[in-house]
Amino acid sequence: MADRKRVGILISGRGSNMMSLVAAAHDAYEVALIASDKPDAAGLGWAKAQGLATWALSPKGIGKPAYEAALDAALREAGVGTIALAGYMRLLSDDFVTRWRGRIINIHPSLLPKYKGLDTHARAIEAGDSHGGCSVHVVTEELDGGAVLGQAEVAIEPGDTAETLAARVLIAEHRLYPRVLADFVKR
């Protein structure tokens, strides 16, 4: 098995959490590959400008099994031992998760187990919660169902919208994720 400290980060968009993970890597872990399901993802351009190895392939037209086989091969070729999902907006198949069992983590914008899936901020506000937040968890076959490794609470302010809460939660994500990833790869 590859060194757990060699991290592959999967993104689908601008990559703000990826950027925070890269900035915090230092001696805790090494970013071995930035991969995306969207070849035009803005975060890939940033990663390339930093001199990081990148890989991208659209799953459109080839199907999930072929796409995941290519992703798996790219991660293994880069010597990745841990996968960090950072705004990666595709559900991984059970087969992929099984191959990487215990070596994939994700940042989710809610205080799990509350509000798995999408629209987490709006759901927290609608429920009248006093706090939203974010969680880093181990990825399992159950959507947002793996062991929670760390959380950060963010107060829901009067008049908050899903967008204003999301902006503050994103700041908390950028602080939480690098610390939890560093602890995770040491295990």
Side-chain angles (χ1 to χ4, degrees):
M1 180 177 1
D3 183 348
R4 288 179 62 94
K5 290 185 176 185
R6 288 187 54 84
V7 175
I9 303 173
L10 276 55
I11 66 171
S12 290
R14 71 182 184 268
S16 70
N17 268 307
M18 174 262 304
M19 292 174 194
S20 70
L21 293 174
V22 169
H26 308 295
D27 295 329
Y29 52 87
E30 174 189 358
V31 178
L33 184 67
I34 307 296
S36 182
D37 60 325
K38 300 195 183 232
D40 61 348
L44 287 175
W46 182 89
K48 288 176 187 172
Q50 305 309 305
L52 296 167
T54 62
W55 176 91
L57 178 66
S58 173
K60 292 180 180 163
I62 64 168
K64 189 172 202 152
Y67 168 78
E68 286 188 347
L71 174 61
D72 183 73
L75 291 164
R76 291 180 191 282
E77 185 175 310
V80 168
T82 300
I83 299 171
L85 306 181
Y88 186 68
M89 299 305 291
R90 295 189 60 79
L91 293 177
L92 297 169
S93 71
D94 289 355
D95 288 341
F96 188 91
V97 172
T98 297
R99 282 195 301 276
W100 289 88
R101 179 161 316 286
R103 296 185 291 146
I104 309 172
I105 63 173
N106 183 41
I107 183 92
H108 182 73
S110 80
L111 297 172
L112 292 172
K114 279 186 159 183
Y115 313 122
K116 296 177 180 183
L118 301 174
D119 303 318
T120 59
H121 307 301
R123 291 161 59 197
I125 292 167
E126 288 169 14
D129 292 354
S130 63
H131 289 79
C134 54
S135 305
V136 177
H137 66 94
V138 175
V139 173
T140 65
E141 293 84 354
E142 179 188 348
L143 177 67
D144 300 327
V148 173
L149 303 172
Q151 293 185 312
E153 288 188 351
V154 175
I156 297 176
E157 305 291 339
D160 255 343
T161 64
E163 293 76 23
T164 60
L165 179 57
R168 290 198 317 281
V169 169
L170 189 60
I171 294 167
E173 290 178 17
H174 293 167
R175 291 181 186 141
L176 177 68
Y177 206 2
R179 180 175 49 80
V180 173
L181 176 58
D183 290 343
F184 182 75
V185 299
K186 290 178 195 171
R187 294 180 183 183

